[in-house]
Amino acid sequence: MNLTLDSLHQTQGELTTAIDDEQWLARFDALAEQGYVLIENFLPHAEVAALYHYAAGLSEPEWNMAGIGREQQHTLNTRVRSDQIRWLHPQVPAEAIYLNTMDTLRVRLNRRLFMGLFDYECHLARYQPGAFYKKHLDAFKGRSNRVLTTVFYLNPEWQHEDGGELIIYGANDEVLETVLPQQNTLVVFLSDTFVHEVKTAHRERFSITGWFRHNASNAHRVDPPR
Ligand code: OGA
Ligand code: MN
């Protein structure tokens, strides 16, 4: 594959991240090699700060208890996860900024890695002190159109004693990464490959979790269901 930086520029819109093009190519290659990549300093500071203030300022009724599974399989199981979520919509200006950035990232991932990513869905998540999300996979092979998971962290000055780490496990249950949910860190991993968990948070913790997806629509079913 021989992609020039110029061809990366021919996408709709610039990727206004804090990382330059050269660095992006290195991140994409790391993702192709390991199946996951950690990216610090993802957005310009003003943008991530605005997202944090937006999330922290949402009122109680704007959050929903997170469930497990989708549609008919959707159940609340607070022994598995106890965070609250809010799906992002392009009609809400504060949310559209993040969705646009991720769509540009989607186009670039497709160009660089030929991933055939069709769309992106994401939600804000709030872990109040005591909340967690036990070990899980985001997708099961052949049974989901979720291809790549992204998790983006919003809290400034997260400390070790605040807990809430994301643990990423390898194929033999070994710990591959322990990620502090530090403001402006983006984690990207293959949704059907990496078991992961969120340790109990001891401070209110905000993230945006999303999924790049394949198109699984067919004549009998329009994808995605909401
Ligand atoms: C999820 C998830 C990780 C995190 O929402 O599926 O695994 O660090 N989130 O918030
Ligand atoms: Mn997950």
Side-chain angles (χ1 to χ4, degrees):
M1 177 175 15
N2 197 353
L3 259 188
T4 63
L5 294 179
D6 272 343
S7 73
L8 284 173
H9 276 301
Q10 290 160 18
T11 57
Q12 330 113 336
E14 294 285 295
L15 193 49
T16 49
T17 61
I19 299 173
D20 69 24
D21 286 343
E22 205 81 52
Q23 291 172 314
W24 270 113
L25 294 185
R27 300 305 196 294
F28 289 165
D29 292 348
L31 176 61
E33 254 160 56
Q34 329 173 95
Y36 73 89
V37 65
L38 313 184
I39 297 165
E40 285 172 10
N41 213 17
F42 175 52
L43 293 185
H45 176 75
E47 270 184 38
V48 64
L51 279 168
Y52 171 64
H53 288 295
Y54 173 68
L58 287 168
S59 65
E60 220 43 58
E62 293 172 289
W63 294 98
N64 302 300
M65 278 314 289
I68 321 275
R70 295 179 73 87
E71 290 188 287
Q72 296 89 338
Q73 290 84 36
H74 188 96
T75 53
L76 284 180
N77 186 341
T78 49
R79 282 170 316 191
V80 176
R81 69 187 295 189
S82 50
D83 58 323
Q84 295 163 296
I85 65 167
R86 174 187 168 81
W87 289 96
L88 266 58
H89 299 286
Q91 298 85 348
V92 183
E95 302 182 352
I97 295 170
Y98 187 76
L99 288 167
N100 285 338
T101 300
M102 296 313 272
D103 199 60
T104 307
L105 183 57
R106 179 185 68 80
V107 172
R108 289 188 167 208
L109 281 163
N110 284 343
R111 287 186 170 224
R112 181 72 181 170
L113 303 177
F114 302 107
M115 295 196 73
L117 304 171
F118 174 77
D119 74 353
Y120 181 74
E121 60 174 5
C122 69
H123 61 60
L124 278 162
R126 172 170 77 162
Y127 290 70
Q128 290 184 306
F132 53 81
Y133 194 164
K134 301 276 190 208
K135 273 183 171 181
H136 67 281
L137 269 176
D138 286 348
F140 292 93
K141 282 204 175 16
R143 284 205 280 135
S144 170
N145 54 355
R146 290 178 170 181
V147 179
L148 269 185
T149 300
T150 66
V151 193
F152 182 57
Y153 298 110
L154 302 183
N155 288 85
E157 286 159 47
W158 195 269
Q159 310 294 325
H160 281 276
E161 55 271 25
D162 296 330
E165 303 92 341
L166 169 71
I167 315 284
I168 302 176
Y169 294 92
N172 301 310
D173 212 28
E174 76 280 20
V175 172
L176 293 179
E177 299 287 343
T178 299
V179 185
L180 271 196
Q182 197 62 262
Q183 184 176 75
N184 219 1
T185 297
L186 179 75
V187 185
V188 184
F189 56 88
L190 289 169
S191 305
D192 68 1
T193 306
F194 296 94
V195 171
H196 55 283
E197 77 175 305
V198 179
K199 295 289 192 187
T200 303
H202 305 305
R203 165 187 166 193
E204 196 173 39
R205 174 194 194 268
F206 294 100
S207 55
I208 304 179
T209 307
W211 296 273
F212 288 112
R213 310 186 312 161
H214 280 152
N215 184 6
S217 298
N218 60 36
H220 307 288
R221 178 171 169 272
V222 175
D223 188 73
R226 284 279 183 192

